[in-house]
């Protein structure tokens, strides 16, 4: 496998459910990111992991909980979400050594909270 | 202040014609990189082209070229010979060299331009 893979592609969950989004990269990158993309809004950076340590948390509500067990895997644990959390969640990875390294994205998980 | 500004929410272009998608940016960091991504309706973000702040020449990648005007802080994407498959959302993004927090350089995105290629 190559690139960045996200599962599931689609997820519908109730507000009391607990679910997890998974991201896997096989590019040997040392940084991984979670972005949220809501309709008609720019991509919002949620979390950044560099060398498996969380280095950025952009005021994301605690109902979103990231986990990075190793450099290839990134999870986003979800619990007691709200309908406004419905969005496309994108995972990305990059080799964080300079400005000229592009980020590679997965296909995203389209989340609907009902 | 917004770091990346894309002022065209939607653009239309006739097939086989060229189109320019606008992007302006704001940074005080002398070292930065500018990126363009394409997002089809499937959702995946596809990297198209990169321009470094110190690059002397405009970047080109097949039918994509970047019109980089450093003094104006603009990095417009030019797509030549548009194809129907070019219909998608296009995002401009920037990565600054200066690390403001933690130890990872972040990509900051604009709000995007929805391009529709007409047959």
């Amino acid at each position: 496998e190559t690139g960045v893979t996200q599962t599931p592609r689609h997820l519908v969950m109730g507000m009391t459910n607990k679910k997890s989004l998974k991201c896997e990269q096989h590019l040997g990158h040392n940084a991984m990111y979670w972005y949220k993309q809501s309709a008609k809004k720019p991509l919002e950076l949620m979390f950044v992991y560099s060398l498996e340590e969380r280095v950025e948390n952009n005021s994301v509500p605690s109902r979103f909980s990231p986990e990075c067990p190793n450099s290839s895997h990134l999870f986003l644990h979800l619990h007691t979400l709200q309908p406004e959390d419905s969005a496309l969640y994108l995972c990305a990875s990059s080799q964080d050594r300079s400005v000229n390294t592009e980020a590679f994205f997965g296909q995203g998980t389209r989340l609907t909270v009902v | 202040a917004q770091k990346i500004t894309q002022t065209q929410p939607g653009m239309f272009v006739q097939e086989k014609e060229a189109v320019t998608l606008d992007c302006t940016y704001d940074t005080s960091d002398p070292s930065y990189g500018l990126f363009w991504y394409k997002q089809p309706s499937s959702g995946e973000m596809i990297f198209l082209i990169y321009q470094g702040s110190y690059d002397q020449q405009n970047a080109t990648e097949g039918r994509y070229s970047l019109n980089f005007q450093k003094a104006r802080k603009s990095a417009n994407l030019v797509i030549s010979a548009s194809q129907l498959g070019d219909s998608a959302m296009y995002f401009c993004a920037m990565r600054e060299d200066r690390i403001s927090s933690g130890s990872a350089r972040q990509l900051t995105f604009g709000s995007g331009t929805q391009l529709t290629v007409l047959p």
Side-chain angles (χ1 to χ4, degrees):
Chain A
E1 285 191 44
T2 58
V4 181
T5 305
Q6 285 186 247
T7 54
R9 293 290 310 280
H10 299 272
L11 178 62
V12 179
M13 60 186 286
M15 289 190 282
T16 58
N17 291 157
K18 287 185 181 181
K19 296 285 184 184
S20 295
L21 309 185
K22 180 182 176 182
C23 177
E24 193 171 349
Q25 60 98 0
H26 301 278
L27 300 166
H29 290 161
N30 61 3
M32 295 186 78
Y33 312 79
W34 278 117
Y35 284 88
K36 176 184 178 183
Q37 187 178 25
S38 305
K40 301 185 180 179
K41 281 187 178 181
L43 270 75
E44 302 169 55
L45 180 64
M46 300 175 74
F47 300 105
V48 180
Y49 275 83
S50 179
L51 299 173
E52 301 160 39
E53 299 226 1
R54 190 192 311 180
V55 296
E56 186 79 18
N57 177 347
N58 281 350
S59 304
V60 179
S62 60
R63 56 185 184 269
F64 294 91
S65 173
E67 179 191 0
C68 187
N70 56 59
S71 60
S72 299
H73 294 86
L74 184 65
F75 295 89
L76 188 62
H77 304 300
L78 317 169
H79 64 97
T80 58
L81 294 192
Q82 305 297 312
E84 60 264 29
D85 296 323
S86 298
L88 180 68
Y89 288 85
L90 288 161
C91 172
S93 72
S94 71
Q95 191 62 17
D96 179 39
R97 62 173 185 268
S98 67
V99 294
N100 66 349
T101 52
E102 70 269 29
F104 291 82
F105 284 80
Q107 291 186 300
T109 295
R110 198 164 293 278
L111 173 68
T112 303
V113 181
V114 297
Chain B
Q2 232 175 345
K3 286 198 170 185
I4 299 285
T5 303
Q6 294 181 254
T7 57
Q8 306 154 313
M11 288 281 285
F12 291 88
V13 64
Q14 209 68 40
E15 194 179 6
K16 298 181 186 177
E17 291 186 352
V19 63
T20 298
L21 307 183
D22 295 342
C23 173
T24 57
Y25 59 91
D26 183 29
T27 181
S28 57
D29 193 338
S31 177
Y32 53 89
L34 297 157
F35 303 80
W36 276 92
Y37 283 84
K38 171 185 178 182
Q39 187 180 39
S41 56
S42 59
E44 184 180 2
M45 297 283 280
I46 302 166
F47 167 71
L48 296 177
I49 194 167
Y50 163 81
Q51 179 83 44
S53 59
Y54 293 119
D55 292 344
Q56 296 296 313
Q57 293 187 327
N58 287 343
T60 61
E61 198 71 51
R63 293 187 299 111
Y64 304 109
S65 61
L66 208 151
N67 183 2
F68 181 46
Q69 298 189 43
K70 194 170 181 177
R72 294 185 178 183
K73 291 189 175 177
S74 75
N76 299 338
L77 176 70
V78 181
I79 305 175
S80 62
S82 297
Q83 301 172 356
L84 295 177
D86 293 335
S87 293
M89 196 76 169
Y90 287 80
F91 291 95
C92 180
M94 177 175 65
R95 174 175 279 168
E96 296 165 297
D97 200 13
R98 180 180 52 225
I99 302 170
S100 58
S101 63
S103 60
R105 296 170 178 83
Q106 302 167 21
L107 267 179
T108 303
F109 285 83
S111 55
T113 296
Q114 179 68 48
L115 177 67
T116 303
V117 180
L118 303 170

